[in-house]
Amino acid sequence: MHRILLVLFISFVSLGLQAQRHELRFNADRKFKIVQFTDLHIAYQDKRSEAAFECIKNVVEAERPDLIMLTGDIIYSKPADANFRQVMEYVSSFGIPFALTFGNHDHEQGLSDAELLKIAQSVPHCLVSDEKSLTGDGNYVLTVQASGGNQVASVLYCLDSNSYSHLKERGVEGYDHIHRDQINWYAETSQAFTRKNNGQPLPALAFFHIPLPEYAQASTDANAQLYGIRREKVCSPLLNSGMFTAIKEQGDVMGVFVGHDHDNDFAVAWHGVLLAYGRFSGGNTEYNHIPNGARVIELTEGERSFRTWIRQRDNQVVQSTTFPADYVK
């Protein structure tokens, strides 16, 4: 184990990245499963949040994932320290590696995202880290090792989609976008992985909170194949900063997974990339009109394809698809 961790550390240093705290690996069947919980909106010691904790428990016990991913708006009340810590410790109690990205509400409860990130890093099994030079908090990469060796087989990009527009004084309202330095970091990191993989982009996924403007384009295009529920307008930034273009240029990311819009859980193919929402995972501390649950993503080692489905809190499984096969018209 020490030798494997040393190999991982050297690999991350050579890419200019922070060393990953725990190994992620495809299993003997060449599968790797991720469960995405989003918009838990936990209110401290509020009975309405019991549904969120029950959702986590039921889905994790049914799916037994290799990684749990939380994509923002985790807490929704003060005290921020106690509230966030209880969620981190609850997720950690399953003994499964987990990671997170921040939403636009997490920092509003009395602690900054940077302070919340330190709490997360203090909890066992948490893989979150941060590239300190970038806009936001919690921009980092996770690698998934091949089942039979120490080479990287897949990459997971975790990004801070920030919160509210930093250009309001220039007339831009609404939500912030992923900034240029973050996009450049993603592109440079992707290129480094591609170089180490003999010029071939590694199969990759991206996770953050606020949907890209392309979600709105894709979901209203009659030629785009869409599965799932679309019950509200896509609440993306008003400005398009080019993240999706960078994804297409690098050619590695197969799917993007977000939250933010509680009444959307759809997945839609857009120019060869799956743009997907998680299922709202919280209780009635915020608006929601769909049974709460989680999105499940199952990668297959060496393939540029994956399966995805929604498991609800009541354990009903819906919207099971394979990308890209089920998204080709």
Side-chain angles (χ1 to χ4, degrees), residues 116-182:
L116 294 174
L117 188 144
K118 290 180 180 178
I119 294 174
Q121 290 176 315
S122 72
V123 175
H125 310 297
C126 184
L127 304 185
V128 67
S129 61
D130 185 43
E131 295 295 323
K132 297 293 186 184
S133 63
L134 301 178
T135 299
D137 299 286
N139 300 287
Y140 58 101
V141 170
L142 298 176
T143 59
V144 184
Q145 306 300 114
S147 56
N150 294 326
Q151 70 271 27
V152 175
S154 190
V155 181
L156 310 176
Y157 294 98
C158 301
L159 291 162
D160 187 355
S161 55
N162 304 301
S163 54
Y164 305 101
S165 174
H166 68 291
L167 297 172
K168 289 183 178 180
E169 71 281 3
R170 298 185 182 181
V172 182
E173 299 293 331
Y175 296 103
D176 205 356
H177 50 264
I178 296 174
H179 288 215
R180 189 176 305 171
D181 63 329
Q182 296 172 280

Side-chain angles (χ1 to χ4, degrees), residues 26-27 29-36 63 205 207 254-255 257 267 274 276 294-301 303-311 317-327:
F26 284 91
N27 65 25
D29 294 326
R30 299 173 52 245
K31 303 294 184 184
F32 186 84
K33 184 186 288 186
I34 303 166
V35 164
Q36 177 200 3
E63 294 290 351
L205 304 176
F207 296 89
M254 303 179 292
F257 300 89
L274 190 68
R295 179 169 289 282
V296 185
I297 307 130
E298 186 179 67
L299 297 166
T300 300
E301 183 182 345
E303 295 185 9
R304 291 197 60 81
S305 66
F306 56 89
R307 294 176 60 225
T308 184
W309 59 93
I310 301 290
R311 182 177 288 275
V317 174
V318 296
Q319 301 175 30
S320 180
T321 63
T322 298
F323 181 81
D326 291 333
Y327 294 83

Side-chain angles (χ1 to χ4, degrees), residues 166-329:
H166 68 291
L167 297 172
K168 289 183 178 180
E169 71 281 3
R170 298 185 182 181
V172 182
E173 299 293 331
Y175 296 103
D176 205 356
H177 50 264
I178 296 174
H179 288 215
R180 189 176 305 171
D181 63 329
Q182 296 172 280
I183 296 171
N184 290 342
W185 169 79
Y186 153 69
E188 292 165 3
T189 304
S190 173
Q191 290 163 15
F193 279 117
T194 297
R195 286 193 297 270
K196 287 180 69 69
N197 194 46
N198 299 315
Q200 292 298 314
L202 286 167
L205 304 176
F207 296 89
F208 40 90
H209 181 70
I210 298 175
L212 299 171
E214 282 81 4
Y215 275 71
Q217 289 180 270
S219 65
T220 56
D221 190 310
N223 293 314
Q225 183 64 55
L226 182 149
Y227 294 89
I229 298 170
R230 177 178 175 266
R231 290 185 180 170
E232 66 174 304
K233 177 184 176 181
V234 172
C235 294
S236 60
L238 294 180
L239 297 183
N240 192 325
S241 62
M243 183 66 198
F244 187 84
T245 299
I247 286 170
K248 287 302 301 178
E249 288 173 343
Q250 302 314 312
D252 56 347
V253 171
M254 303 179 292
V256 177
F257 300 89
V258 302
H260 192 53
D261 301 339
H262 305 175
D263 286 348
N264 291 334
D265 73 353
F266 65 79
V268 60
W270 191 241
H271 296 291
V273 177
L274 190 68
L275 301 179
Y277 283 96
R279 171 67 71 89
F280 176 81
S281 307
N284 291 329
T285 56
E286 248 296 352
Y287 79 94
N288 65 98
H289 302 94
I290 308 172
N292 69 340
R295 179 169 289 282
V296 185
I297 307 130
E298 186 179 67
L299 297 166
T300 300
E301 183 182 345
E303 295 185 9
R304 291 197 60 81
S305 66
F306 56 89
R307 294 176 60 225
T308 184
W309 59 93
I310 301 290
R311 182 177 288 275
Q312 298 181 170
R313 175 167 55 111
D314 62 9
N315 275 323
Q316 182 180 356
V317 174
V318 296
Q319 301 175 30
S320 180
T321 63
T322 298
F323 181 81
D326 291 333
Y327 294 83
V328 178
K329 295 191 106 176

Side-chain angles (χ1 to χ4, degrees), residues 5-26:
L5 290 175
L6 179 60
V7 170
L8 286 173
F9 177 79
I10 293 172
S11 176
F12 267 69
V13 169
S14 68
L15 290 168
L17 303 172
Q18 294 190 29
Q20 191 167 314
R21 292 176 67 186
H22 301 285
E23 177 188 272
L24 300 175
R25 180 177 293 276
F26 284 91

